[in-house]
Amino acid sequence: MAALTGDALGVLTRDALGALDAADKLAAFRDRFELPEGVIYLDGNSLGPVPKETPGRIADVVAREWGVSLIRAWTEHDWIGLPLRVGAKIGRLIGGAPDSTVVADSTSVNLFKLLAAALEMRPGRQTILTETGNFPTDLYMAQGLTALLGRGHVLRTVDDPLGALGADVAVLMLTHVNYRSGAMHDMEAVTRAAHEAGALVLWDLSHSVGAVPLQLAADDVDLAVGCGYKFLNGGPGAPAFLYVAPRLQAGLKSPLTGWLGHAEPFAFGSVYRAAAGVARAVVGTPPVLSLAALEVGVDLMLRAPMAELRAKSVRLAAMFMALVGQECGADGFVLLTPADAALRGSQVSFAHPAGYAIMQALIERGVIGDFRAPDVLRFGLAPLYVRYVDVWDAVAVLRDVMRGGVWQEERFGVRRPVT
Ligand SMILES: *Cc1c(COP(=O)(O)O)cnc(C)c1O
């Protein structure tokens, strides 16, 4: 689709996009999801849709596993193994080393645990380094942790974190794909730079897992966390995951020393002793129903070849950008997402002064993206279920919204450019 620029746009038709769908090797995956009629869902980067298999799976866990096995289900149905079992599957999605990923808690809590552990592993270094515009919970958790420790640690937030790496940085904490712009860091290069400065690196993969190819082991990543309810389609509030490189596991001290992270939880001893490996980062009893739902989403994702997913995601985004330029080029949208596919994840964002009103109008017309203050419209392009024609249809609705004048000066206090 290199021709998808400039004059070539004129020949891009809905039928041409339909032909791409007909040839799409991933097309069958769409039918594995419940997607309401009349909705174009471009917000799977915030809450993935429900896989058709999920309600039946949850019902089975409730009726058969919980209902019949009762407490025996912890062993009979291996509930106790869920965090490591589903973690291992997510480990495959992120290219992690074996036995290094576990499902636990929320992304926020996992950030706290791994940041605390990282500071312990770099005594004498006082700085958590991050970048301007990182996701708020990442910043807030770091702020709460440094205040709690009371040992003079600081969170430093800068525009150019690589330029700020120095002898005082204990850990570089970055979100791999930015939630607002969709811009993606070079994981391998950034990790290497952090290591050269003697720092650990902690990646937040919330907008990466299930969306872009990842190879944490090959990139020598130290620590990572990520979200289960976005591109993994694990359901609202799905538990999160965390990753610890094998070389760091024996020295990892989680600050939340719960009984299920104990070496022998069922010995019920009175003194904490960390479990071997990444299991020590588990805190308490796993949320079995939520984990069962997450496993369905992860299994579905594992069946789709990541190279195909990425190729489709890149192409969907290229078309979306090109079509917005073609159909709404004079409407004042500013592309926030890198045009270079190598530098972006699986979402496209635009800034627009009337962004909130425009997104409301889109949602009223069945095109669901989302809005992030002050002016960002986000469109997630999940290649597992978004079709090429959806991109066409979404931009057609956007064009109609703009032609309808939803952001006219008198309503929204912004000037409509002369078209
Ligand atoms: C969605 C998201 C989270 C979510 O954290 P929760 O603890 O699940 O609320 C964290 N970090 C990033 C970068 C996210 O995009």
Side-chain angles (χ1 to χ4, degrees):
M1 293 314 299
L4 237 185
T5 53
D7 293 336
L9 280 174
V11 300
L12 191 64
T13 62
R14 192 175 189 281
D15 283 350
L17 294 183
L20 288 177
D21 285 320
D24 177 12
K25 292 195 188 105
L26 299 171
F29 281 97
R30 179 179 171 83
D31 192 43
R32 310 296 299 270
F33 291 92
E34 296 291 353
L35 290 162
E37 278 298 311
V39 164
I40 298 176
Y41 195 58
L42 304 181
D43 212 3
N45 53 321
S46 199
L47 175 65
V50 60
K52 282 184 179 159
E53 208 184 304
T54 303
R57 176 74 188 120
I58 301 252
D60 185 56
V61 175
V62 171
R64 194 173 53 90
E65 298 188 5
W66 180 15
V68 177
S69 294
L70 292 163
I71 199 157
R72 296 167 294 184
W74 286 103
T75 49
E76 281 178 13
H77 299 292
D78 194 31
W79 286 355
I80 200 71
L82 272 168
L84 282 170
R85 184 171 86 232
V86 181
K89 291 178 178 182
I90 295 174
R92 284 161 59 198
L93 288 175
I94 63 176
D99 304 322
S100 301
T101 310
V102 70
V103 174
D105 305 313
S106 63
T107 305
S108 302
V109 171
N110 289 337
L111 282 162
F112 185 87
K113 292 186 290 189
L114 293 192
L115 276 178
L119 294 179
E120 287 286 340
M121 288 190 260
R122 287 292 181 275
R125 292 178 175 234
Q126 296 290 82
T127 302
I128 299 171
L129 182 63
T130 192
E131 73 177 328
T132 317
N134 196 355
F135 191 77
T137 209
D138 301 54
L139 306 175
Y140 302 162
M141 294 311 288
Q143 289 160 11
L145 174 66
T146 56
L148 176 71
L149 291 176
R151 304 206 307 256
H153 292 105
V154 291
L155 171 68
R156 232 187 119 202
T157 307
V158 299
D159 291 342
D160 172 24
L162 288 195
L165 279 167
D168 194 53
V169 176
V171 54
L172 173 61
M173 170 183 73
L174 292 175
T175 297
H176 179 230
V177 174
N178 185 276
Y179 76 104
R180 217 182 259 271
S181 68
M184 180 167 69
H185 283 291
D186 180 339
M187 183 175 284
E188 193 271 333
V190 172
T191 300
R192 184 156 25 86
H195 288 173
E196 279 164 9
L200 294 162
V201 66
L202 167 51
W203 289 104
D204 187 332
L205 306 178
S206 291
H207 284 274
S208 309
V209 62
V212 299
L214 295 165
Q215 40 167 16
L216 267 67
D219 291 345
D220 202 22
V221 167
D222 302 299
L223 305 164
V225 298
C227 194
Y229 50 79
K230 292 173 178 166
F231 289 96
L232 293 185
N233 309 308
F241 65 90
L242 64 86
Y243 174 84
V244 181
R247 61 191 153 72
L248 299 177
Q249 289 173 17
L252 187 93
K253 279 196 193 168
S254 172
L256 302 182
T257 48
W259 73 302
L260 284 187
H262 192 282
E264 290 181 287
F266 298 102
F268 295 99
S270 53
V271 177
Y272 181 80
R273 195 155 48 80
V278 74
R280 67 182 52 191
V282 172
V283 178
T285 307
V288 172
L289 297 178
S290 299
L291 259 155
L294 175 61
E295 188 167 29
V296 174
V298 169
D299 283 341
L300 201 46
M301 186 64 68
L302 277 169
R303 267 178 247 142
M306 184 40 86
E308 296 276 349
L309 285 168
R310 177 62 174 165
K312 183 178 174 189
S313 150
V314 163
R315 190 185 260 192
L316 285 167
M319 291 191 166
F320 191 68
M321 292 172 181
L323 282 168
V324 171
Q326 173 185 290
E327 302 298 329
C328 308
D331 289 318
F333 290 100
V334 176
L335 180 66
L336 297 180
T337 306
D340 179 349
L343 302 180
R344 66 170 187 256
S346 199
Q347 78 178 54
V348 173
S349 306
F350 295 96
H352 193 289
Y356 179 75
I358 294 167
M359 186 53 76
Q360 288 304 111
L362 286 175
I363 292 170
E364 274 169 28
R365 289 159 181 76
V367 177
I368 302 181
D370 66 24
F371 173 78
R372 288 292 176 265
D375 61 357
V376 180
L377 299 114
R378 300 195 309 177
F379 301 93
L381 300 166
L384 214 47
Y385 51 83
V386 174
R387 294 169 300 195
Y388 291 98
V389 290
D390 292 331
V391 164
W392 176 277
D393 292 341
V395 175
V397 172
L398 179 64
R399 179 194 56 212
D400 291 348
V401 162
M402 301 314 288
R403 293 301 165 272
V406 297
W407 62 294
Q408 283 163 4
E409 191 169 2
E410 57 274 22
R411 277 182 74 191
F412 301 108
V414 289
R415 184 175 299 277
R416 190 179 174 90
V418 181
T419 52

